[in-house]
Amino acid sequence: MVGGSDMYRQQILDHYKSPRNYGEMEDPTFTHVGENPMCGDTIEMQVRLDDDEEEIEYVAFQGDGCAISQASASMLSEKLQGTTIEELHEMDRDDVVDMLGVDISPMRIKCAVLAEKVAQDGADIYFGELDVDKTTTEDDE
């Protein structure tokens, strides 16, 4: 995976040009917004949980930004469906980089993990574990 193969780069471009699950969802369980001020990326994640509020049934997103941030949100919207809230919280930067399939430079890692952080923070806010208006990658290291 050093540098990423052309196949993975094509996958990123495909998700950027034709994002999956892009748009508004009716009756999401929770919605949360985040931004990466360094790159100008913005993402809104909308998540619908099952009746037990343990499993993610559907994810939609909206936003604007670079190919990495938008492709990551698109791929994540597919990956999260059918996973549990616990599995969402266990995700980290390495999982996102593996999902993208290419090496991400330190300057672009905030673009790649924005959607993951927004979904995680949205769940934490919904369950009363966090109180923020908007997620930002500004303070990430």
Side-chain angles (χ1 to χ4, degrees):
M1 194 173 77
V2 175
S5 71
D6 286 342
M7 179 183 73
Y8 286 111
R9 289 188 181 139
Q10 290 302 320
Q11 178 177 295
I12 289 170
L13 284 176
D14 179 48
H15 275 270
Y16 177 65
K17 292 177 180 176
S18 302
R20 301 350 174 244
N21 306 307
Y22 189 89
E24 285 192 60
M25 172 194 317
E26 280 190 38
D27 301 321
T29 306
F30 63 84
T31 300
H32 187 57
V33 176
E35 67 179 16
N36 173 11
M38 298 257 312
C39 195
D41 305 315
T42 59
I43 302 260
E44 177 186 84
M45 299 293 286
Q46 300 175 349
V47 177
R48 182 180 313 125
L49 300 177
D50 67 359
D51 291 338
D52 296 330
E53 295 189 332
E54 292 178 11
E55 188 172 297
I56 297 169
E57 286 187 340
Y58 188 73
V59 177
F61 81 98
Q62 298 182 86
D64 190 36
C66 70
I68 294 287
S69 72
Q70 300 303 298
S72 180
S74 175
M75 290 178 187
L76 192 66
S77 74
E78 291 183 318
K79 181 179 180 117
L80 289 178
Q81 293 181 47
T83 64
T84 65
I85 290 294
E86 184 177 336
E87 289 169 321
L88 168 61
H89 280 95
E90 290 171 357
M91 286 188 75
D92 64 17
R93 169 184 312 218
D94 292 338
D95 295 319
V96 173
V97 172
D98 288 348
M99 178 184 70
L100 290 169
V102 296
D103 289 335
I104 305 293
S105 71
M107 288 296 292
R108 303 305 299 268
I109 197 71
K110 292 179 182 184
C111 306
V113 300
L114 178 60
E116 172 211 11
K117 287 183 58 62
V118 170
Q120 288 171 336
D121 285 358
D124 285 347
I125 292 164
Y126 177 74
F127 289 109
E129 298 167 15
L130 184 65
D131 184 18
V132 296
D133 291 330
K134 177 172 53 175
T135 294
T136 180
T137 57
E138 201 169 304
D139 299 326
D140 283 3
E141 294 178 19

